[in-house]
Amino acid sequence: MTTQGLATDAGLASELRLAVMRLRRRLAGERHPDNELSINQMGVLGVLARRGEMTVGELAAAEKVQPPSMTRTVNCLVETGDVLKRPHESDGRQIVVEISEQGQARVAADRVRRDAWLARRLDELAPEDREVLRRAAALLESLAQKD
Amino acid sequence: MTTQGLATDAGLASELRLAVMRLRRRLAGERHPDNELSINQMGVLGVLARRGEMTVGELAAAEKVQPPSMTRTVNCLVETGDVLKRPHESDGRQIVVEISEQGQARVAADRVRRDAWLARRLDELAPEDREVLRRAAALLESLAQKD
DNA sequence: CTAACTCATTAGCCGTGCTAACTATTCCAC
DNA sequence: GTGGAATAGTTAGCACGGCTAATGAGTTAG
């Protein structure tokens, strides 16, 4: 039974991996032409909008990337004027990143629109399929957080 | 009802998108040190192992990438000796890509091992969660194929 | 026979992950 | 207090893998 279970899971892992890879590729390509921010940058902006100001390290941990990657992303957002960097008040090593008014406006304006493609596809699904995906989203997120 | 459904779906789209992005990043980083092929190259090799010889264009369509991207990936696989390219027998424009013996051996050897990380995590889940993911995998794949 | 189309490729751009090495700061032990 | 370890962020540089535009070769239609 263990063998069967593992064999089945190996197949599931394979399918899940392929599906995730392809869907991500699809989503990354679905950026709106009039939005100059990449899908990753919008992700960071969304985290900041939800959780308030965060240090670069916290952002890196939240997005599961290494600090240098987040430094680069944050710098791009600073250049577009969507976030602000300021020194930490008590720890001179840390940098606090804060979403700007423009950034908040962009998040608000894009919140619905940026998920338009996926939301439209989801709307075409049967309700029970949406329920499956709703539960799966939480599971996928927890998988991404592991180890 | 439509409004409620759409509002809920927008949230689901957002969560699903973030989860897919993060999990994919996680998976891409989990390449086995002793396997010199990237996760994308292994994906193409897997398609060839399942579906037999295919043209570059068919592979590009199957993986939902543009032809130049697939040309590059295939050329990498040619260099590692995992696939062979030969001219199409009746149409001189097309190139047929075929998996080599070494490629088949690699797929066979890696089929279980390459999903080790994900399979291990899946094994830790409750059976009903695995069932959710099993159904979700098919749904995600169909979403990736749309339009 | 020519024009239009198709398939693959080349060239080149961009985003985004990584590691290694460096700077600045903080914390701790003594 | 001071010297060394630890921590935060950055810089530099590499790799991968998408993309578009343009090109070449081959096919097909008129």
Side-chain angles (χ1 to χ4, degrees), chain A residues 65-84:
Chain A
V65 297
Q66 295 301 308
S69 305
M70 187 51 65
T71 290
R72 187 205 272 145
T73 300
V74 166
N75 283 343
C76 286
L77 289 172
V78 168
E79 279 180 17
T80 62
D82 289 293
V83 303
L84 302 171

PDB file of all heavy atoms in Angstrom, chain A residues 65-84:
ATOM      1  N   VAL A  65      12.444  34.552  -1.825  1.00  0.00           N
ATOM      2  CA  VAL A  65      13.595  34.789  -2.700  1.00  0.00           C
ATOM      3  C   VAL A  65      14.777  35.208  -1.826  1.00  0.00           C
ATOM      4  O   VAL A  65      14.604  35.511  -0.639  1.00  0.00           O
ATOM      5  CB  VAL A  65      13.320  35.900  -3.746  1.00  0.00           C
ATOM      6  CG1 VAL A  65      12.193  35.495  -4.674  1.00  0.00           C
ATOM      7  CG2 VAL A  65      13.020  37.218  -3.070  1.00  0.00           C
ATOM      8  N   GLN A  66      15.958  35.221  -2.394  1.00  0.00           N
ATOM      9  CA  GLN A  66      17.134  35.631  -1.659  1.00  0.00           C
ATOM     10  C   GLN A  66      17.180  37.164  -1.603  1.00  0.00           C
ATOM     11  O   GLN A  66      16.663  37.839  -2.497  1.00  0.00           O
ATOM     12  CB  GLN A  66      18.401  35.097  -2.335  1.00  0.00           C
ATOM     13  CG  GLN A  66      18.496  33.581  -2.306  1.00  0.00           C
ATOM     14  CD  GLN A  66      18.484  33.031  -0.893  1.00  0.00           C
ATOM     15  OE1 GLN A  66      19.265  33.469  -0.043  1.00  0.00           O
ATOM     16  NE2 GLN A  66      17.587  32.091  -0.627  1.00  0.00           N
ATOM     17  N   PRO A  67      17.811  37.701  -0.553  1.00  0.00           N
ATOM     18  CA  PRO A  67      17.850  39.160  -0.379  1.00  0.00           C
ATOM     19  C   PRO A  67      18.288  39.944  -1.611  1.00  0.00           C
ATOM     20  O   PRO A  67      17.659  40.974  -1.918  1.00  0.00           O
ATOM     21  CB  PRO A  67      18.815  39.331   0.790  1.00  0.00           C
ATOM     22  CG  PRO A  67      18.653  38.090   1.596  1.00  0.00           C
ATOM     23  CD  PRO A  67      18.410  36.992   0.589  1.00  0.00           C
ATOM     24  N   PRO A  68      19.331  39.532  -2.328  1.00  0.00           N
ATOM     25  CA  PRO A  68      19.734  40.343  -3.484  1.00  0.00           C
ATOM     26  C   PRO A  68      18.622  40.472  -4.526  1.00  0.00           C
ATOM     27  O   PRO A  68      18.470  41.527  -5.148  1.00  0.00           O
ATOM     28  CB  PRO A  68      20.929  39.581  -4.056  1.00  0.00           C
ATOM     29  CG  PRO A  68      21.486  38.840  -2.906  1.00  0.00           C
ATOM     30  CD  PRO A  68      20.295  38.444  -2.082  1.00  0.00           C
ATOM     31  N   SER A  69      17.847  39.416  -4.707  1.00  0.00           N
ATOM     32  CA  SER A  69      16.752  39.475  -5.674  1.00  0.00           C
ATOM     33  C   SER A  69      15.729  40.516  -5.239  1.00  0.00           C
ATOM     34  O   SER A  69      15.219  41.293  -6.062  1.00  0.00           O
ATOM     35  CB  SER A  69      16.076  38.105  -5.802  1.00  0.00           C
ATOM     36  OG  SER A  69      17.017  37.110  -6.118  1.00  0.00           O
ATOM     37  N   MET A  70      15.439  40.539  -3.946  1.00  0.00           N
ATOM     38  CA  MET A  70      14.451  41.488  -3.457  1.00  0.00           C
ATOM     39  C   MET A  70      14.989  42.911  -3.515  1.00  0.00           C
ATOM     40  O   MET A  70      14.247  43.847  -3.828  1.00  0.00           O
ATOM     41  CB  MET A  70      14.042  41.124  -2.026  1.00  0.00           C
ATOM     42  CG  MET A  70      12.893  41.949  -1.489  1.00  0.00           C
ATOM     43  SD  MET A  70      11.435  42.009  -2.577  1.00  0.00           S
ATOM     44  CE  MET A  70      10.903  40.299  -2.551  1.00  0.00           C
ATOM     45  N   THR A  71      16.270  43.086  -3.237  1.00  0.00           N
ATOM     46  CA  THR A  71      16.876  44.417  -3.354  1.00  0.00           C
ATOM     47  C   THR A  71      16.640  44.966  -4.754  1.00  0.00           C
ATOM     48  O   THR A  71      16.235  46.121  -4.935  1.00  0.00           O
ATOM     49  CB  THR A  71      18.395  44.346  -3.085  1.00  0.00           C
ATOM     50  OG1 THR A  71      18.598  44.068  -1.703  1.00  0.00           O
ATOM     51  CG2 THR A  71      19.071  45.651  -3.422  1.00  0.00           C
ATOM     52  N   ARG A  72      16.870  44.131  -5.738  1.00  0.00           N
ATOM     53  CA  ARG A  72      16.708  44.584  -7.116  1.00  0.00           C
ATOM     54  C   ARG A  72      15.248  44.947  -7.405  1.00  0.00           C
ATOM     55  O   ARG A  72      14.966  46.006  -7.973  1.00  0.00           O
ATOM     56  CB  ARG A  72      17.179  43.498  -8.073  1.00  0.00           C
ATOM     57  CG  ARG A  72      17.203  43.945  -9.519  1.00  0.00           C
ATOM     58  CD  ARG A  72      17.067  42.740 -10.414  1.00  0.00           C
ATOM     59  NE  ARG A  72      18.344  42.137 -10.729  1.00  0.00           N
ATOM     60  CZ  ARG A  72      18.518  40.841 -10.886  1.00  0.00           C
ATOM     61  NH1 ARG A  72      17.509  40.022 -10.708  1.00  0.00           N
ATOM     62  NH2 ARG A  72      19.690  40.360 -11.198  1.00  0.00           N
ATOM     63  N   THR A  73      14.336  44.067  -6.991  1.00  0.00           N
ATOM     64  CA  THR A  73      12.911  44.322  -7.230  1.00  0.00           C
ATOM     65  C   THR A  73      12.472  45.621  -6.554  1.00  0.00           C
ATOM     66  O   THR A  73      11.783  46.451  -7.152  1.00  0.00           O
ATOM     67  CB  THR A  73      12.069  43.148  -6.707  1.00  0.00           C
ATOM     68  OG1 THR A  73      12.456  41.964  -7.381  1.00  0.00           O
ATOM     69  CG2 THR A  73      10.597  43.396  -6.947  1.00  0.00           C
ATOM     70  N   VAL A  74      12.880  45.783  -5.295  1.00  0.00           N
ATOM     71  CA  VAL A  74      12.502  46.989  -4.554  1.00  0.00           C
ATOM     72  C   VAL A  74      13.064  48.236  -5.234  1.00  0.00           C
ATOM     73  O   VAL A  74      12.373  49.254  -5.360  1.00  0.00           O
ATOM     74  CB  VAL A  74      12.979  46.896  -3.093  1.00  0.00           C
ATOM     75  CG1 VAL A  74      12.897  48.256  -2.414  1.00  0.00           C
ATOM     76  CG2 VAL A  74      12.147  45.871  -2.335  1.00  0.00           C
ATOM     77  N   ASN A  75      14.302  48.145  -5.704  1.00  0.00           N
ATOM     78  CA  ASN A  75      14.900  49.308  -6.368  1.00  0.00           C
ATOM     79  C   ASN A  75      14.121  49.698  -7.620  1.00  0.00           C
ATOM     80  O   ASN A  75      13.979  50.885  -7.926  1.00  0.00           O
ATOM     81  CB  ASN A  75      16.363  49.023  -6.714  1.00  0.00           C
ATOM     82  CG  ASN A  75      17.253  49.133  -5.484  1.00  0.00           C
ATOM     83  OD1 ASN A  75      16.858  49.706  -4.469  1.00  0.00           O
ATOM     84  ND2 ASN A  75      18.445  48.574  -5.566  1.00  0.00           N
ATOM     85  N   CYS A  76      13.650  48.689  -8.347  1.00  0.00           N
ATOM     86  CA  CYS A  76      12.811  48.988  -9.516  1.00  0.00           C
ATOM     87  C   CYS A  76      11.560  49.738  -9.087  1.00  0.00           C
ATOM     88  O   CYS A  76      11.156  50.715  -9.729  1.00  0.00           O
ATOM     89  CB  CYS A  76      12.412  47.694 -10.233  1.00  0.00           C
ATOM     90  SG  CYS A  76      13.748  46.934 -11.170  1.00  0.00           S
ATOM     91  N   LEU A  77      10.950  49.275  -7.986  1.00  0.00           N
ATOM     92  CA  LEU A  77       9.716  49.905  -7.507  1.00  0.00           C
ATOM     93  C   LEU A  77       9.989  51.327  -6.998  1.00  0.00           C
ATOM     94  O   LEU A  77       9.121  52.205  -7.096  1.00  0.00           O
ATOM     95  CB  LEU A  77       9.081  49.056  -6.408  1.00  0.00           C
ATOM     96  CG  LEU A  77       8.460  47.745  -6.894  1.00  0.00           C
ATOM     97  CD1 LEU A  77       8.035  46.879  -5.719  1.00  0.00           C
ATOM     98  CD2 LEU A  77       7.276  48.017  -7.814  1.00  0.00           C
ATOM     99  N   VAL A  78      11.180  51.546  -6.454  1.00  0.00           N
ATOM    100  CA  VAL A  78      11.541  52.894  -6.027  1.00  0.00           C
ATOM    101  C   VAL A  78      11.638  53.800  -7.249  1.00  0.00           C
ATOM    102  O   VAL A  78      11.133  54.929  -7.249  1.00  0.00           O
ATOM    103  CB  VAL A  78      12.892  52.882  -5.272  1.00  0.00           C
ATOM    104  CG1 VAL A  78      13.412  54.301  -5.088  1.00  0.00           C
ATOM    105  CG2 VAL A  78      12.730  52.206  -3.917  1.00  0.00           C
ATOM    106  N   GLU A  79      12.236  53.281  -8.306  1.00  0.00           N
ATOM    107  CA  GLU A  79      12.402  54.088  -9.519  1.00  0.00           C
ATOM    108  C   GLU A  79      11.071  54.456 -10.153  1.00  0.00           C
ATOM    109  O   GLU A  79      10.925  55.537 -10.719  1.00  0.00           O
ATOM    110  CB  GLU A  79      13.272  53.348 -10.540  1.00  0.00           C
ATOM    111  CG  GLU A  79      14.756  53.482 -10.247  1.00  0.00           C
ATOM    112  CD  GLU A  79      15.607  52.739 -11.258  1.00  0.00           C
ATOM    113  OE1 GLU A  79      15.078  52.398 -12.335  1.00  0.00           O
ATOM    114  OE2 GLU A  79      16.795  52.490 -10.965  1.00  0.00           O
ATOM    115  N   THR A  80      10.109  53.548 -10.075  1.00  0.00           N
ATOM    116  CA  THR A  80       8.793  53.862 -10.634  1.00  0.00           C
ATOM    117  C   THR A  80       7.969  54.701  -9.667  1.00  0.00           C
ATOM    118  O   THR A  80       6.867  55.133 -10.013  1.00  0.00           O
ATOM    119  CB  THR A  80       8.008  52.577 -10.959  1.00  0.00           C
ATOM    120  OG1 THR A  80       7.803  51.842  -9.754  1.00  0.00           O
ATOM    121  CG2 THR A  80       8.754  51.710 -11.951  1.00  0.00           C
ATOM    122  N   GLY A  81       8.484  54.915  -8.441  1.00  0.00           N
ATOM    123  CA  GLY A  81       7.782  55.747  -7.482  1.00  0.00           C
ATOM    124  C   GLY A  81       6.650  55.036  -6.756  1.00  0.00           C
ATOM    125  O   GLY A  81       5.793  55.688  -6.170  1.00  0.00           O
ATOM    126  N   ASP A  82       6.647  53.709  -6.769  1.00  0.00           N
ATOM    127  CA  ASP A  82       5.563  52.967  -6.131  1.00  0.00           C
ATOM    128  C   ASP A  82       5.864  52.616  -4.677  1.00  0.00           C
ATOM    129  O   ASP A  82       4.950  52.282  -3.921  1.00  0.00           O
ATOM    130  CB  ASP A  82       5.254  51.691  -6.926  1.00  0.00           C
ATOM    131  CG  ASP A  82       4.582  52.006  -8.244  1.00  0.00           C
ATOM    132  OD1 ASP A  82       3.443  52.481  -8.205  1.00  0.00           O
ATOM    133  OD2 ASP A  82       5.209  51.807  -9.303  1.00  0.00           O
ATOM    134  N   VAL A  83       7.136  52.644  -4.304  1.00  0.00           N
ATOM    135  CA  VAL A  83       7.483  52.427  -2.897  1.00  0.00           C
ATOM    136  C   VAL A  83       8.534  53.456  -2.475  1.00  0.00           C
ATOM    137  O   VAL A  83       9.167  54.111  -3.312  1.00  0.00           O
ATOM    138  CB  VAL A  83       8.043  51.002  -2.634  1.00  0.00           C
ATOM    139  CG1 VAL A  83       7.066  49.938  -3.083  1.00  0.00           C
ATOM    140  CG2 VAL A  83       9.392  50.828  -3.275  1.00  0.00           C
ATOM    141  N   LEU A  84       8.712  53.581  -1.159  1.00  0.00           N
ATOM    142  CA  LEU A  84       9.719  54.468  -0.603  1.00  0.00           C
ATOM    143  C   LEU A  84      10.617  53.663   0.316  1.00  0.00           C
ATOM    144  O   LEU A  84      10.147  52.765   1.019  1.00  0.00           O
ATOM    145  CB  LEU A  84       9.057  55.591   0.206  1.00  0.00           C
ATOM    146  CG  LEU A  84       8.050  56.478  -0.549  1.00  0.00           C
ATOM    147  CD1 LEU A  84       7.319  57.383   0.429  1.00  0.00           C
ATOM    148  CD2 LEU A  84       8.772  57.267  -1.623  1.00  0.00           C
TER     149      LEU A  84
END
